[in-house]
Amino acid sequence: MPEFRRAPCDRPSRPAWWRGAVAGLLAMAPAVVSAEDPVADVTPPAVASDSALPEGVLEYRSAGRWQPIYRTPDGRGPLRGTLVPGESFAVVAHVAGPRCKDGMWGALPAGGFTCLGTTEPSHETPVFQPKLAAFDQPHPDEYFSYIETGTYDRDSVADAEPIVPFIYGKKWRRWRAPAWDSLRDWNAGRGPTHNLEGVPKYHFVEAIDTPRGQVLRRRDGVVVPADQVFIYPIDRFHGRDLEARPVEAGRAAAWVVAYDGVPIRTEPHKDAPVMATLDYHQELTVDSVPVASKGRWWRIPNAIMPGVDGWVPSGTNGIRVLRPITRPPEVGPDELWVDVDRSEQTLALRRGDRLLFATLVSTGEGARWATPRGLYRVYDKSVYGDMKSREDADEPYHVEKVPWVMHFKHRYALHGVFWHWGFGHAASHGCVNLAPRDARYLFARIGPEMGKGWHTTYATPEDPGTHLRVHSGSPEVPDKRAVIQ
């Protein structure tokens, strides 16, 4: 398993209009917003006629730019969110108000108002963002052969399974990233005009199969041959739905985090005979209480067959276990909340005391980069955004279009990761890293609410965001929830 670089967290880029509106926004760091067009959908958009509009929806519209959504129809109040350029959104009412071309604001289903004077009618049915890119990025188990040969078993665009919003790659080693200014130049057989430079991690909006081979297109139209860019392997790991597949009383969900797998032994010690080996990130169920026998060992009931139990160790060379934990008193018995355990590198989504979902994460590495303990609220969400370090950072970074970003503290967020697959191991600069499928799953379920066609949503007093607790095994943490004005 290759050595992982710490994941970035978290200095977002801002569009120009943001700087004029930030004074009225929440007194905390808002979400990432980057002024680039979204990736094209992987399926044809649904088309709706006026007669097919859902009950309560007045019309569908789209904006040609990154457009703010305000809490009030006046262009001065705090922001409620932003819209993705070119994507449809629903309007449920027209409201007259100042500081808007033609003086008409649109009330949106998820809350907030946007100026309709800078939008136009749309016949496409709105969808939740981001749309996923049709492209087959490598699997982690193809990494070493990919490094050695420069190729991997890549499906065509038509057969690819969409996993992330963009195609992620970089210029590295043999992959020199020669670039053509346009697809026309590439198809005409002309030579490259330049090599990609700048940020170390690129995003591409589209893969195109051509007679000369597959190319990746940037938003500005520049294309690069797919085999001339190192494509990041994407982890298909996904956590456990504990409603569909609950664990019985006295048991706990667990996952293998030893990169080379972990042997199942006949007794709880390292010299016992090996019965079988579990693969990296394999899911299992163990007793909820370990046995201390020269380290912590966990019993796997019926590990090999009924009546034959096995034993595996704890830690980075063994397994991570979802430990039982009490609900914070600040969280109601029917309230949704997220729990992050740094000691086990696990995340759980709960409603009150009921477990809904659990998975592995990567929190901050070491004391310097440790994810801060505390009780927070997720105060904004963005479907994607650029992240870069401070100007004076010892380890500078700039990553384009990090997917599914959910901020809970200034410069700290839960977000999807495409540049490593070390979930279950601390690996970040302080953020909580999630596998792409887990990030998308969580993003869709926790607050603040995100409307269809939106890029960003901000918490409000009426929609203050989902509670998030970060701890290291002990439920006692400081209350760091910010007041939403």
Side-chain angles (χ1 to χ4, degrees):
M1 175 59 63
E3 180 181 356
F4 295 113
R5 293 184 60 82
R6 280 185 289 273
C9 255
D10 182 14
R11 187 176 188 178
S13 301
R14 312 289 188 196
W17 60 262
W18 170 267
R19 292 185 287 274
V22 71
L25 191 54
L26 310 176
M28 52 183 125
V32 289
V33 179
S34 297
E36 292 196 18
D37 289 340
V39 64
D41 196 358
V42 298
T43 57
V47 178
S49 65
D50 292 341
S51 61
L53 293 174
E55 183 178 357
V57 173
L58 189 65
E59 61 176 334
Y60 293 154
R61 299 188 72 88
S62 66
R65 63 185 180 93
W66 294 97
Q67 179 151 321
I69 304 166
Y70 294 93
R71 291 195 208 165
T72 53
D74 56 15
R76 279 188 171 174
L79 293 177
R80 177 68 171 106
T82 59
L83 294 169
V84 176
E87 293 296 333
S88 291
F89 63 92
V91 176
V92 296
H94 290 166
V95 181
R99 285 173 289 278
C100 173
K101 182 182 178 182
D102 300 331
M104 191 60 67
W105 293 80
L108 309 185
F113 303 84
T114 195
C115 177
L116 299 183
T118 51
T119 68
E120 58 185 30
S122 173
H123 294 291
E124 293 184 5
T125 301
V127 296
F128 286 110
Q129 304 295 312
K131 297 174 181 176
L132 303 182
F135 184 74
D136 180 27
Q137 302 210 179
H139 287 247
D141 58 11
E142 294 178 291
Y143 175 81
F144 290 109
S145 63
Y146 183 29
I147 292 295
E148 181 178 350
T149 65
T151 62
Y152 66 94
D153 184 15
R154 184 167 65 239
D155 291 338
S156 68
V157 172
D159 296 329
E161 177 191 7
I163 299 290
V164 285
F166 299 98
I167 302 159
Y168 297 103
K170 68 178 179 179
K171 176 181 175 180
W172 184 53
R173 292 189 177 182
R174 69 175 74 198
W175 295 277
R176 307 313 302 162
W180 280 251
D181 288 337
S182 68
L183 182 61
R184 178 181 297 178
D185 290 345
W186 163 263
N187 285 334
R190 300 188 180 98
T193 56
H194 61 286
N195 285 11
L196 289 185
E197 302 291 350
V199 299
K201 296 179 175 67
Y202 301 107
H203 79 287
F204 302 87
V205 300
E206 185 181 16
I208 304 169
D209 290 328
T210 79
R212 294 183 64 193
Q214 193 175 77
V215 296
L216 308 180
R217 184 179 67 84
R218 299 272 287 171
R219 185 253 176 186
D220 59 6
V222 168
V223 298
V224 178
D227 59 2
Q228 292 297 310
V229 177
F230 174 77
I231 306 298
Y232 281 95
I234 298 292
D235 198 340
R236 275 69 168 180
F237 173 74
H238 188 35
R240 181 166 179 170
D241 183 338
L242 289 161
E243 290 187 295
R245 295 185 293 112
V247 294
E248 59 186 283
R251 304 283 191 261
W255 298 267
V256 176
V257 297
Y259 291 130
D260 295 327
V262 63
I264 303 174
R265 298 188 182 274
T266 57
E267 297 178 5
H269 60 83
K270 65 181 180 61
D271 297 321
V274 175
M275 297 189 291
T277 299
L278 298 174
D279 294 333
Y280 179 58
H281 278 173
Q282 187 167 336
E283 177 190 295
L284 62 154
T285 300
V286 298
D287 285 348
S288 59
V289 178
V291 171
S293 176
K294 295 182 179 180
R296 288 196 311 170
W297 290 77
W298 298 85
R299 185 176 74 99
I300 308 174
N302 306 312
I304 303 300
M305 64 182 68
V308 181
D309 300 336
W311 300 84
V312 289
S314 286
T316 57
N317 294 318
I319 67 170
R320 299 290 196 187
V321 180
L322 184 69
R323 307 300 300 274
I325 202 73
T326 57
R327 170 170 51 91
E330 296 86 353
V331 176
D334 195 43
E335 196 170 1
L336 197 68
W337 62 290
V338 177
D339 187 80
V340 174
D341 186 348
R342 301 187 310 185
S343 63
E344 288 292 328
Q345 296 293 300
T346 57
L347 176 148
L349 177 66
R350 302 171 185 259
R351 185 172 294 280
D353 298 319
R354 182 161 54 97
L355 265 170
L356 306 178
F357 175 81
T359 193
L360 296 171
V361 297
S362 291
T363 64
E365 183 179 14
R368 180 181 181 187
W369 305 107
T371 305
R373 295 170 54 254
L375 179 66
Y376 305 92
R377 280 189 183 272
V378 174
Y379 63 82
D380 72 32
K381 301 190 306 185
S382 293
V383 297
Y384 51 76
D386 294 356
M387 288 184 177
K388 56 183 175 181
S389 59
R390 298 177 186 272
E391 298 296 334
D392 58 350
D394 293 336
E395 297 183 15
Y397 54 80
H398 184 177
V399 185
E400 294 185 340
K401 300 298 173 286
V402 176
W404 298 294
V405 181
M406 299 159 271
H407 279 99
F408 59 89
K409 178 181 169 65
H410 180 36
R411 300 183 68 83
Y412 293 93
L414 305 120
H415 62 74
V417 165
F418 60 83
W419 54 89
H420 79 74
W421 56 93
F423 308 107
H425 301 264
S428 83
H429 278 99
C431 284
V432 180
N433 292 180
L434 291 147
R437 283 176 168 163
D438 288 342
R440 188 184 185 201
Y441 178 93
L442 195 66
F443 189 92
R445 286 161 176 78
I446 68 172
E449 184 179 358
M450 172 75 78
K452 294 179 179 180
W454 292 30
H455 175 277
T456 303
T457 182
Y458 304 109
T460 69
E462 299 76 26
D463 184 10
T466 299
H467 281 101
L468 166 71
R469 181 175 63 186
V470 180
H471 62 93
S472 292
S474 170
E476 302 298 324
V477 295
D479 188 344
K480 297 185 178 181
R481 292 173 297 169
V483 177
I484 308 297
Q485 301 294 333

